[in-house]
Amino acid sequence: MRRRLLLFVSIIGLVFATGSTASAATTTHSSTGHYCVAQAVPVGIARIPTATCYATFTRAISAATKGRVTLPASAKPGSVTPDELNSGAQSAATNFVLSIDYENSNFGGNDLTWTQTAKCGNFQAASMPTGWNDTISSVSAASGCATTLFWNNNFGSPTFPIAKNGSAASLGVFNDQTSSQTWCTASPCAG
């Protein structure tokens, strides 16, 4: 009996210790205060992007840009310009922010920052990362990219195009309907 109790207490302690170290970054989307980062894939690659989520927007942007952009702790989604997100991005080893998808209208709620190692080109997500399907309500594009949202996986119609470095504070009937997304240099982006 004493061994079982000791084992039980040890397991509980391990669970709590693991939980506290894992709070800095997680790979699932949560409904409260999570700011996620995913890398778009080049067109023709079938890999489904995965998202890593952080407790603050500042940490997510730091991770998205590999530490190149350091925002003040008070920075909020929607308050940062495309120029700020890509300041100092000169080297080939830089990650660029292609766009930020927001859970709520008017650039609010949880967000998903899309990155890539090239400033803009032909990138895609044939399926949204876990927890982000049919979740997007506003979008801002950056890095000279346009983006197109698709209602269905694998770029199925209808579509919602957003102009180069443009934004949409509300998606109307497309609200909470995005299942795939593409990025390119001129709107609309093909699927």
Side-chain angles (χ1 to χ4, degrees):
M1 180 69 169
R2 185 177 170 120
R3 278 187 183 170
R4 285 186 198 169
L5 181 59
L6 183 58
L7 179 61
F8 177 74
V9 170
S10 297
I11 290 171
I12 295 299
L14 182 60
V15 167
F16 282 119
T18 303
S20 66
T21 60
S23 64
T26 62
T27 56
T28 58
H29 170 70
S30 171
S31 62
T32 57
H34 279 85
Y35 307 94
C36 303
V37 177
Q39 187 172 48
V41 298
V43 167
I45 305 289
R47 181 174 50 88
I48 296 172
T50 58
T52 301
C53 300
Y54 300 84
T56 67
F57 179 66
T58 301
R59 283 187 183 170
I61 294 302
S62 179
T65 62
K66 293 187 176 181
R68 179 179 41 81
V69 175
T70 305
L71 299 174
S74 61
K76 300 290 180 214
S79 69
V80 181
T81 67
D83 288 340
E84 289 172 307
L85 292 174
N86 292 309
S87 65
Q90 305 302 327
S91 73
T94 296
N95 268 15
F96 292 89
V97 174
L98 303 179
S99 69
I100 302 176
D101 297 343
Y102 299 89
E103 179 182 36
N104 298 330
S105 296
N106 298 310
F107 316 108
N110 298 320
D111 65 59
L112 174 60
T113 300
W114 288 98
T115 67
Q116 203 9 281
T117 57
K119 194 166 187 177
C120 194
N122 293 313
F123 304 113
Q124 67 181 22
S127 179
M128 299 303 277
T130 300
W132 285 95
N133 187 55
D134 295 338
T135 302
I136 311 302
S137 296
S138 55
V139 177
S140 62
S143 300
C145 278
T147 187
T148 299
L149 311 176
F150 294 82
W151 194 284
N152 296 305
N153 286 334
N154 298 310
F155 321 110
S157 294
T159 64
F160 191 101
I162 297 170
K164 179 179 177 178
N165 289 336
S167 63
S170 175
L171 302 179
V173 297
F174 225 84
N175 185 58
D176 294 339
Q177 298 300 322
T178 301
S179 294
S180 54
Q181 189 169 355
T182 56
W183 296 265
C184 63
T185 56
S187 181
C189 302

